[in-house]
Every structure is written in structure tokens, then in C-alpha cells.
Amino acid sequence: WYQRRVRDISVTILAITIAAYHFYKRFCSSTILKKRNININYSKMTDIPTSEDGWKTKLSAEQFRVLREKGTERAFSGEYDKFFGKGVYHCAGCNAPLFTSEHKFNSGCGWPAFFDAIPGAVNRHEITGFYAEITCSKCGGHLGHVFVGERHPTPTDERHCVNSVSLRFESN
């Protein structure tokens, strides 16, 4: 009976978490950018190379390894881990806007952490029920992973753990 009770409680907590996430996405996420007067300049997005050689000429060796080969930079080595300037984080591959500084928080994980992305900017590729790979929805570049249910004090209880080398920051 004890195991059944623990399972029932776990399922209830998961259902509440999912409901809260969907409520936030529907009623909060789309209005954050408007409320904060954050300008996103979509005109600066660049053309996407069609070959691996094109990507190699456009990106640094480390950016290519992370964005195209799904690598990971060393923890605590990225320039945006402890950076909290106001503005928008863009994809280093195609310059598409991905995250805002309003969504960034200090998770202590060693990589920049965001609790949400700009709507439609990031694709998720499910790995397990607790985390998924995230990629840029425009160029498909590997950004990092999103972890769910770690109990961070954020509206979504998610941590988008992103490689700094995958990002380019533009201040407001």
C-alpha cells in the first residue's frame, strides 16, 4: 500500500506541475515580451549555410563542435554563465532570437540557465521524461538541454541549460 500511495502522490505532483506549466505558457509567456517592451529585431537573422563546409567557415571551431556536432562546453567556462545584462540572447549560428534576460536565472549549474524561451524559438527533442535536447527552430543548431522538475524557484520549474558558445547577446 505504501508504494501505491507514493506513486499516487508522484502522479498528482506531476499533473499539477504540467497544469501549472501549460497555464504559464498560455497566459504569461506570450505577454512577457510586450509588458517589458523588449524589442526583438528579426531583420538581423542571417542566411543558413546549406553544407557542412558553409557552417565551418561561418562558425568558430568550438561553435561548430557544439552547434553542429551536439557537443558541450566545459561547465563554468562560458561567457554568459554569470552574465546578467538586460537584452536578448540570439543563436550564434543564424542570429535568431532565442531567450530574453527576463527568463535568465542563476541555477549554479555552470551554464547559462533560462526558465523559458521566446515562443517558437526553440525545438525540443525528447530524450527522457525529465530532460530533452533543445535546438534552434530556425537553423537546427544544438543549444543544450531542458530539464523539468528540478524545483528551481521559477514559474515553469524548467531549466534550459544552454552552452554560451551557442549564444550571442544583444543588449536593449
Side-chain angles (χ1 to χ4, degrees):
W1 71 268
Y2 178 76
Q3 289 176 337
R4 193 173 339 128
R5 183 73 177 139
V6 169
R7 186 189 69 226
D8 292 346
I9 290 171
S10 297
V11 169
T12 302
I13 290 171
L14 180 62
I16 291 169
T17 302
I18 291 169
Y21 170 75
H22 287 291
F23 175 84
Y24 173 79
K25 288 298 255 188
R26 180 177 172 117
F27 296 106
C28 301
S29 183
S30 62
T31 60
I32 285 178
L33 299 177
K34 292 176 190 168
K35 279 187 192 175
R36 306 282 184 183
N37 291 326
I38 295 174
N39 283 333
I40 297 174
N41 189 351
Y42 290 96
S43 66
K44 290 186 178 180
M45 290 193 295
T46 59
D47 291 330
I48 299 171
T50 56
S51 68
E52 291 301 304
D53 289 335
W55 281 113
K56 285 180 180 177
T57 58
K58 180 180 175 108
L59 303 172
S60 71
E62 180 68 359
Q63 286 175 322
F64 183 82
R65 187 183 72 78
V66 172
L67 283 165
R68 307 313 306 165
E69 297 177 338
K70 301 183 183 207
T72 302
E73 67 187 357
R74 272 188 358 210
F76 303 101
S77 67
E79 69 175 302
Y80 298 126
D81 177 32
K82 298 293 184 196
F83 176 79
F84 290 95
K86 298 292 183 196
V88 178
Y89 294 84
H90 297 261
C91 175
C94 67
N95 208 31
L98 302 172
F99 303 97
T100 70
S101 57
E102 300 292 326
H103 294 140
K104 191 168 190 304
F105 71 103
N106 185 8
S107 70
C109 69
W111 292 274
F114 303 87
F115 64 82
D116 204 0
I118 293 172
V122 172
N123 291 331
R124 292 181 187 218
H125 308 279
E126 201 70 30
I127 295 173
T128 71
F130 300 108
Y131 80 104
E133 177 192 8
I134 52 175
T135 59
C136 173
S137 62
K138 183 172 185 238
C139 70
H142 173 76
L143 303 171
H145 297 88
V146 60
F147 298 86
V148 180
E150 294 181 320
R151 298 187 178 154
H152 288 287
T154 63
T156 61
D157 196 22
E158 290 186 348
R159 175 174 57 94
H160 293 241
C161 185
V162 183
N163 293 288
S164 285
V165 75
S166 300
L167 301 172
R168 188 190 60 72
F169 180 76
E170 187 175 297
S171 62
N172 284 345

Short mmCIF file of all heavy atoms in Angstrom, two decimals, residues 47-70 92-94 139:
data_model
loop_
_atom_site.label_atom_id
_atom_site.label_comp_id
_atom_site.label_asym_id
_atom_site.label_seq_id
_atom_site.Cartn_x
_atom_site.Cartn_y
_atom_site.Cartn_z
N ASP A 47 21.44 34.27 -43.28
CA ASP A 47 21.19 33.08 -44.10
C ASP A 47 21.82 31.87 -43.45
O ASP A 47 22.87 31.94 -42.83
CB ASP A 47 21.76 33.28 -45.50
CG ASP A 47 21.00 34.33 -46.29
OD1 ASP A 47 19.79 34.50 -46.04
OD2 ASP A 47 21.61 34.98 -47.16
N ILE A 48 21.18 30.74 -43.68
CA ILE A 48 21.65 29.49 -43.09
C ILE A 48 22.47 28.74 -44.14
O ILE A 48 21.98 28.48 -45.23
CB ILE A 48 20.46 28.64 -42.63
CG1 ILE A 48 19.68 29.40 -41.55
CG2 ILE A 48 20.93 27.29 -42.10
CD1 ILE A 48 18.38 28.75 -41.17
N PRO A 49 23.71 28.37 -43.79
CA PRO A 49 24.52 27.59 -44.74
C PRO A 49 23.84 26.26 -45.06
O PRO A 49 23.14 25.69 -44.21
CB PRO A 49 25.82 27.36 -43.98
CG PRO A 49 25.88 28.44 -42.97
CD PRO A 49 24.46 28.72 -42.59
N THR A 50 24.06 25.76 -46.27
CA THR A 50 23.43 24.51 -46.69
C THR A 50 24.39 23.33 -46.65
O THR A 50 23.96 22.20 -46.86
CB THR A 50 22.87 24.65 -48.12
OG1 THR A 50 23.92 25.06 -48.98
CG2 THR A 50 21.75 25.67 -48.15
N SER A 51 25.65 23.57 -46.34
CA SER A 51 26.62 22.47 -46.30
C SER A 51 27.45 22.57 -45.02
O SER A 51 27.51 23.61 -44.38
CB SER A 51 27.55 22.53 -47.51
OG SER A 51 28.39 23.68 -47.41
N GLU A 52 28.09 21.46 -44.68
CA GLU A 52 28.97 21.45 -43.51
C GLU A 52 30.14 22.41 -43.70
O GLU A 52 30.56 23.08 -42.77
CB GLU A 52 29.48 20.03 -43.23
CG GLU A 52 28.39 19.08 -42.75
CD GLU A 52 27.71 19.56 -41.48
OE1 GLU A 52 28.40 19.78 -40.46
OE2 GLU A 52 26.48 19.71 -41.49
N ASP A 53 30.65 22.51 -44.94
CA ASP A 53 31.74 23.45 -45.22
C ASP A 53 31.28 24.88 -44.99
O ASP A 53 32.05 25.72 -44.50
CB ASP A 53 32.25 23.27 -46.65
CG ASP A 53 33.02 21.97 -46.83
OD1 ASP A 53 33.56 21.46 -45.82
OD2 ASP A 53 33.07 21.47 -47.96
N GLY A 54 30.04 25.18 -45.36
CA GLY A 54 29.49 26.51 -45.13
C GLY A 54 29.43 26.85 -43.65
O GLY A 54 29.75 27.96 -43.23
N TRP A 55 29.02 25.85 -42.83
CA TRP A 55 28.98 26.06 -41.39
C TRP A 55 30.39 26.23 -40.83
O TRP A 55 30.60 27.06 -39.94
CB TRP A 55 28.29 24.88 -40.70
CG TRP A 55 26.80 24.92 -40.78
CD1 TRP A 55 25.99 24.07 -41.46
CD2 TRP A 55 25.93 25.88 -40.16
NE1 TRP A 55 24.67 24.44 -41.30
CE2 TRP A 55 24.61 25.54 -40.50
CE3 TRP A 55 26.13 26.99 -39.33
CZ2 TRP A 55 23.50 26.26 -40.06
CZ3 TRP A 55 25.03 27.71 -38.89
CH2 TRP A 55 23.74 27.34 -39.25
N LYS A 56 31.34 25.47 -41.34
CA LYS A 56 32.72 25.56 -40.83
C LYS A 56 33.34 26.93 -41.10
O LYS A 56 34.14 27.41 -40.31
CB LYS A 56 33.58 24.46 -41.43
CG LYS A 56 33.29 23.11 -40.82
CD LYS A 56 34.16 22.03 -41.42
CE LYS A 56 33.84 20.69 -40.78
NZ LYS A 56 34.60 19.59 -41.36
N THR A 57 32.98 27.55 -42.21
CA THR A 57 33.52 28.89 -42.49
C THR A 57 32.80 29.96 -41.68
O THR A 57 33.38 30.98 -41.35
CB THR A 57 33.41 29.23 -43.99
OG1 THR A 57 32.06 29.14 -44.40
CG2 THR A 57 34.26 28.29 -44.81
N LYS A 58 31.54 29.73 -41.35
CA LYS A 58 30.75 30.72 -40.62
C LYS A 58 31.03 30.70 -39.11
O LYS A 58 31.04 31.75 -38.46
CB LYS A 58 29.26 30.47 -40.87
CG LYS A 58 28.34 31.44 -40.17
CD LYS A 58 26.90 31.12 -40.47
CE LYS A 58 26.00 32.03 -39.68
NZ LYS A 58 25.34 33.01 -40.47
N LEU A 59 31.26 29.52 -38.55
CA LEU A 59 31.40 29.35 -37.10
C LEU A 59 32.86 29.12 -36.71
O LEU A 59 33.65 28.63 -37.51
CB LEU A 59 30.57 28.15 -36.64
CG LEU A 59 29.08 28.17 -36.95
CD1 LEU A 59 28.45 26.82 -36.59
CD2 LEU A 59 28.39 29.30 -36.20
N SER A 60 33.16 29.43 -35.46
CA SER A 60 34.47 29.06 -34.91
C SER A 60 34.49 27.54 -34.73
O SER A 60 33.44 26.88 -34.79
CB SER A 60 34.71 29.75 -33.57
OG SER A 60 33.87 29.19 -32.57
N ALA A 61 35.66 26.97 -34.48
CA ALA A 61 35.77 25.52 -34.30
C ALA A 61 34.93 25.04 -33.11
O ALA A 61 34.24 24.02 -33.19
CB ALA A 61 37.24 25.12 -34.10
N GLU A 62 34.93 25.80 -32.02
CA GLU A 62 34.15 25.42 -30.83
C GLU A 62 32.66 25.57 -31.10
O GLU A 62 31.86 24.73 -30.69
CB GLU A 62 34.58 26.26 -29.62
CG GLU A 62 33.83 25.95 -28.35
CD GLU A 62 34.11 24.56 -27.76
OE1 GLU A 62 34.89 23.78 -28.33
OE2 GLU A 62 33.51 24.26 -26.72
N GLN A 63 32.25 26.64 -31.77
CA GLN A 63 30.83 26.81 -32.12
C GLN A 63 30.37 25.67 -33.03
O GLN A 63 29.27 25.14 -32.85
CB GLN A 63 30.60 28.15 -32.81
CG GLN A 63 30.66 29.34 -31.89
CD GLN A 63 30.55 30.64 -32.65
OE1 GLN A 63 31.08 30.80 -33.75
NE2 GLN A 63 29.85 31.60 -32.04
N PHE A 64 31.19 25.28 -33.98
CA PHE A 64 30.83 24.18 -34.88
C PHE A 64 30.67 22.89 -34.09
O PHE A 64 29.71 22.14 -34.30
CB PHE A 64 31.89 24.02 -35.98
CG PHE A 64 31.54 22.94 -36.97
CD1 PHE A 64 30.68 23.21 -38.02
CD2 PHE A 64 32.05 21.66 -36.83
CE1 PHE A 64 30.33 22.22 -38.94
CE2 PHE A 64 31.71 20.66 -37.74
CZ PHE A 64 30.85 20.95 -38.79
N ARG A 65 31.59 22.63 -33.18
CA ARG A 65 31.53 21.40 -32.37
C ARG A 65 30.24 21.35 -31.55
O ARG A 65 29.60 20.30 -31.46
CB ARG A 65 32.75 21.32 -31.45
CG ARG A 65 32.87 20.00 -30.69
CD ARG A 65 34.04 20.01 -29.74
NE ARG A 65 33.83 20.86 -28.58
CZ ARG A 65 33.08 20.53 -27.53
NH1 ARG A 65 32.47 19.37 -27.48
NH2 ARG A 65 32.95 21.35 -26.50
N VAL A 66 29.84 22.46 -30.97
CA VAL A 66 28.64 22.48 -30.13
C VAL A 66 27.36 22.56 -30.96
O VAL A 66 26.46 21.72 -30.82
CB VAL A 66 28.71 23.64 -29.11
CG1 VAL A 66 27.39 23.79 -28.37
CG2 VAL A 66 29.85 23.42 -28.13
N LEU A 67 27.28 23.54 -31.86
CA LEU A 67 26.05 23.75 -32.62
C LEU A 67 25.75 22.66 -33.64
O LEU A 67 24.59 22.26 -33.81
CB LEU A 67 26.10 25.10 -33.35
CG LEU A 67 25.85 26.34 -32.50
CD1 LEU A 67 26.29 27.59 -33.24
CD2 LEU A 67 24.41 26.45 -32.10
N ARG A 68 26.75 22.17 -34.34
CA ARG A 68 26.52 21.21 -35.42
C ARG A 68 26.79 19.76 -35.03
O ARG A 68 26.18 18.85 -35.57
CB ARG A 68 27.39 21.56 -36.65
CG ARG A 68 27.27 22.98 -37.17
CD ARG A 68 25.88 23.53 -37.33
NE ARG A 68 25.00 22.72 -38.14
CZ ARG A 68 23.68 22.86 -38.18
NH1 ARG A 68 23.09 23.80 -37.48
NH2 ARG A 68 22.95 22.07 -38.94
N GLU A 69 27.72 19.55 -34.07
CA GLU A 69 28.05 18.18 -33.68
C GLU A 69 27.50 17.81 -32.31
O GLU A 69 27.85 16.79 -31.74
CB GLU A 69 29.57 17.99 -33.70
CG GLU A 69 30.17 18.15 -35.09
CD GLU A 69 31.68 18.04 -35.11
OE1 GLU A 69 32.34 18.24 -34.06
OE2 GLU A 69 32.21 17.75 -36.20
N LYS A 70 26.66 18.69 -31.73
CA LYS A 70 25.97 18.46 -30.45
C LYS A 70 26.93 18.26 -29.29
O LYS A 70 26.73 17.42 -28.43
CB LYS A 70 25.00 17.29 -30.57
CG LYS A 70 23.95 17.52 -31.63
CD LYS A 70 22.95 16.41 -31.69
CE LYS A 70 21.99 16.71 -32.82
NZ LYS A 70 20.70 16.14 -32.64
N ALA A 92 23.93 31.72 -32.14
CA ALA A 92 25.22 32.08 -32.74
C ALA A 92 25.32 31.60 -34.18
O ALA A 92 26.12 32.11 -34.95
CB ALA A 92 26.36 31.48 -31.91
N GLY A 93 24.47 30.66 -34.57
CA GLY A 93 24.51 30.14 -35.94
C GLY A 93 23.75 30.98 -36.94
O GLY A 93 24.21 31.22 -38.04
N CYS A 94 22.54 31.44 -36.56
CA CYS A 94 21.70 32.14 -37.53
C CYS A 94 21.19 33.49 -37.03
O CYS A 94 20.49 34.18 -37.75
CB CYS A 94 20.51 31.26 -37.92
SG CYS A 94 19.34 30.98 -36.57
N CYS A 139 17.69 27.22 -37.47
CA CYS A 139 18.82 26.56 -38.14
C CYS A 139 19.09 25.15 -37.63
O CYS A 139 19.91 24.44 -38.20
CB CYS A 139 20.09 27.39 -38.02
SG CYS A 139 20.79 27.46 -36.35
#
